[in-house]
């Protein structure tokens, strides 16, 4: 064990150097954000580690670490940037896209797998909802400093992604219980469980968020070390408590961050320092998560090869499911009483790149699950294509919006 410590330190040092190099390249050649370059570096590392005798360790995503270590930090960091007052204008469209949009996407993907691939109905729906979770990070970096994308548009993209992550985890948990549990289906009990899962999380998170703000008020100080420690405790504490109570941890963190509030302090220096700390934590966590997503690809999909038909179907569903969902909801999705424009619709559509949460949820399924290998292969294909292709399309949409 002691021999591995120097190796880990060496890998960490090399990783920090590589991050600087990747950041420099992405700044000079803004085709992809630096996060996508990190993903590509992870793919390269995974290919070398799995196909040669270099002695490099194979790095694979641990689903519990993703959900309990990365997710609370990333959700809180994203939500912390939002002011509840400013979030209100896009609350309804974000909720619609993050709930009904996910249901429509789930039915489209699940129906296709059931009818065309012969996957049983409940497992098909399970994959449909899992792969519908989005991660806007791949394109959100392209919005920075870009006046063509308004603040409401950014909030809609980020808010919808956070809400749909929580909704996806909740629905996936219920479907997994129906598939792998011994209890018979009870519509009333399932519906009640679903509602309490969501509203219990929101109430739990909101209460903890206000308590954290109250504690800071009692201390009569806003030093950035203190506020950073309290917000970190709030992020992980709200997630763990909600999960312990069988609520949605993701929605609890979202509610906690909003309730804590993005309220400026009188001490702007400490506030800016805290924001910088959270910005770095957010960046470091995302960089490591995307790198591990890339390194895991060859290891987790080495035992399965998708037939051509499955590959084509996965790529069609990647685009069609979200397009149909948002297209169905577009007439009622209004921001400040205005229907989404065509450019806003396409921007929201191609901001829906998939991420590591989907892989983590599939890995959490029992290893004896007959469809796990198929679901992993299809999920990785859809995730990698969306993370690499969607930003390129988003750049073109943003350029068109500036004309």
């Amino acid at each position: 064990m002691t021999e591995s410590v120097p190796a880990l330190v060496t890998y960490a040092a090399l990783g920090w150097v590589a991050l600087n190099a990747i950041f420099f390249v992405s700044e000079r050649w803004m085709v992809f954000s630096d996060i996508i370059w990190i993903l590509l570096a992870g793919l390269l590392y995974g290919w070398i580690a799995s196909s040669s005798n270099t002695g490099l360790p194979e790095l694979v995503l641990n689903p519990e670490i993703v959900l309990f270590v990365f997710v609370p930090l990333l959700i809180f960091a994203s939500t912390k940037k939002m002011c509840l007052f400013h979030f209100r204008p896009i609350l309804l469209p974000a909720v619609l896209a993050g709930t009904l949009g996910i249901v429509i996407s789930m039915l489209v993907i699940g129906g296709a797998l059931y009818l065309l691939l012969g996957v049983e109905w409940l497992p098909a729906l399970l994959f449909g909802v899992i792969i519908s979770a989005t991660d806007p990070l791949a394109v959100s970096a392209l919005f920075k400093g870009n006046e063509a994308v308004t603040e409401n548009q950014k909030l809609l993209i980020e808010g919808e992604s956070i809400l749909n992550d929580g909704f996806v985890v909740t629905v996936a948990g219920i479907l997994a219980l129906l598939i792998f549990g011994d209890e018979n289906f009870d519509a009333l009990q399932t519906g009640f469980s679903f509602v309490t899962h969501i509203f219990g999380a929101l109430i739990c998170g909101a209460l903890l968020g206000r308590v954290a703000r109250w504690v800071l008020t009692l201390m009569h100080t806003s030093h950035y070390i203190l506020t950073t420690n309290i917000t970190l405790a709030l992020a992980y504490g709200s997630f763990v408590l909600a999960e312990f109570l069988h609520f949605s941890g993701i929605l609890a963190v979202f509610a906690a961050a909003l309730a804590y509030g993005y309220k400026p302090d009188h001490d702007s220096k400490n506030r800016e320092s805290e924001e910088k700390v959270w910005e770095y934590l957010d960046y470091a966590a995302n960089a490591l998560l995307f790198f591990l997503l890339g390194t895991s690809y060859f290891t987790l999909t080495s035992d399965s090869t998708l037939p051509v038909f499955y590959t084509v179907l996965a790529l069609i569903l990647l685009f069609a499911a979200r397009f149909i969902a948002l297209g169905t909801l577009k007439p009622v999705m209004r921001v400040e009483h205005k229907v989404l424009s065509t450019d806003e619709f396409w921007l929201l559509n191609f901001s829906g790149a998939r991420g590591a949460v989907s892989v983590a949820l599939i890995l959490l399924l029992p290893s004896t699950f007959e469809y796990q290998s198929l679901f992993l292969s299809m999920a990785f294909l859809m995730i990698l294509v969306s993370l690499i292709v969607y930003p390129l399309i988003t750049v073109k949409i943003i350029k068109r919006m500036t004309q």
Side-chain angles (χ1 to χ4, degrees):
M1 186 67 172
T2 55
E3 292 180 356
S4 66
V5 173
L8 288 175
V9 173
T10 302
Y11 289 135
L14 291 174
W16 280 316
V17 172
L19 276 179
N20 285 333
I22 289 172
F23 185 81
F24 176 78
V25 170
S26 66
E27 287 291 306
R28 296 292 298 270
W29 189 30
M30 195 60 181
V31 177
F32 297 122
S33 65
D34 49 349
I35 292 297
I36 302 304
W37 287 112
I38 291 170
L39 171 70
L40 295 174
L43 284 170
L44 177 62
Y45 177 97
W47 176 70
I48 294 174
S50 63
S51 61
S52 65
N53 297 320
T54 58
L56 291 174
E58 292 188 5
L59 304 177
V60 182
L61 279 173
N62 182 304
E64 292 185 346
I65 291 179
V66 171
L67 292 177
F68 283 89
V69 177
F70 288 106
V71 167
L73 180 67
L74 297 175
I75 295 295
F76 195 91
S78 297
T79 311
K80 189 176 180 293
K81 303 171 186 175
M82 302 177 184
C83 172
L84 186 58
F85 178 79
H86 294 144
F87 188 67
R88 289 188 302 173
I90 58 89
L91 180 60
L92 180 59
V95 170
L96 287 174
T99 55
L100 290 180
I102 294 298
V103 171
I104 296 170
S105 175
M106 174 185 70
L107 292 174
V108 170
I109 296 173
L113 266 61
Y114 175 74
L115 295 173
L116 300 177
L117 303 185
V119 177
E120 295 177 28
W121 180 237
L122 284 180
L125 289 179
L126 178 61
F127 179 76
V129 72
I130 285 176
I131 201 60
S132 296
T134 64
D135 185 342
L137 186 72
V139 296
S140 61
L142 303 175
F143 301 156
K144 293 180 180 178
N146 198 313
E147 296 180 357
V149 183
T150 66
E151 194 62 31
N152 276 341
Q153 290 167 347
K154 296 175 186 176
L155 285 175
L156 177 58
I157 291 168
E158 293 180 355
E160 183 261 332
S161 176
I162 294 170
L163 289 172
N164 78 40
D165 278 357
F167 188 77
V168 162
V169 172
T170 301
V171 175
I174 292 174
L175 287 174
L177 188 63
L178 294 175
I179 295 170
F180 305 110
D182 298 327
E183 299 179 4
N184 294 325
F185 175 73
D186 185 326
L188 183 61
Q189 183 179 354
T190 301
F192 178 76
S193 174
F194 178 73
V195 172
T196 56
H197 204 75
I198 292 177
F199 284 97
L202 295 175
I203 294 171
C204 175
L207 288 175
L208 289 177
R210 295 318 301 167
V211 167
R213 174 61 69 180
W214 176 70
V215 169
L216 275 178
T217 303
L218 285 180
M219 292 181 174
H220 300 290
T221 181
S222 59
H223 193 278
Y224 78 94
I225 294 179
L226 176 65
T227 54
T228 300
N229 288 339
I230 287 180
T231 48
L232 277 171
L234 177 59
Y236 287 104
S238 57
F239 186 90
V240 171
L241 180 60
E243 290 291 321
F244 176 77
L245 296 174
H246 303 292
F247 299 147
S248 170
I250 293 176
L251 291 179
V253 175
F254 173 73
L258 282 181
Y260 175 81
Y262 190 62
K263 184 179 179 181
D265 302 313
H266 294 296
D267 191 343
S268 60
K269 182 178 180 180
N270 275 316
R271 187 179 71 249
E272 291 174 3
S273 298
E274 181 201 349
E275 290 171 1
K276 293 296 182 183
V277 172
W278 267 101
E279 184 179 350
Y280 180 76
L281 290 173
D282 184 29
Y283 174 77
N286 271 305
L288 182 56
L289 185 58
F290 272 67
F291 182 76
L292 290 174
L293 181 63
T295 62
S296 303
Y297 172 73
F298 293 98
T299 301
L300 294 177
T301 61
S302 60
D303 296 331
S304 59
T305 303
L306 281 179
V308 174
F309 177 70
Y310 285 52
T311 300
V312 173
L313 179 63
L315 295 179
I316 292 174
L317 291 176
L318 169 65
F319 170 77
R322 187 167 173 84
F323 174 79
I324 293 171
L326 294 179
T328 303
L329 297 173
K330 184 176 181 292
V332 294
M333 291 179 65
R334 298 174 181 270
V335 178
E336 295 182 338
H337 308 293
K338 295 181 181 178
V339 178
L340 292 181
S341 67
T342 301
D343 285 334
E344 288 174 329
F345 170 79
W346 287 115
L347 187 65
L348 183 59
N349 189 75
F350 286 107
S351 296
R354 282 35 169 200
V357 170
S358 297
V359 174
L361 291 175
I362 295 174
L363 289 174
L364 284 172
L365 300 176
S367 58
T368 55
F369 183 44
E370 61 179 312
Y371 299 112
Q372 188 180 56
S373 179
L374 171 64
F375 287 179
L376 269 178
S377 297
M378 293 185 70
F380 262 113
L381 174 65
M382 297 167 80
I383 290 168
L384 294 178
V385 169
S386 68
L387 287 174
I388 295 172
V389 175
Y390 278 21
L392 299 176
I393 300 176
T394 301
V395 168
K396 294 184 179 297
I397 295 172
I398 294 174
K399 285 182 178 179
R400 189 173 66 183
M401 292 171 65
T402 58
Q403 295 175 354

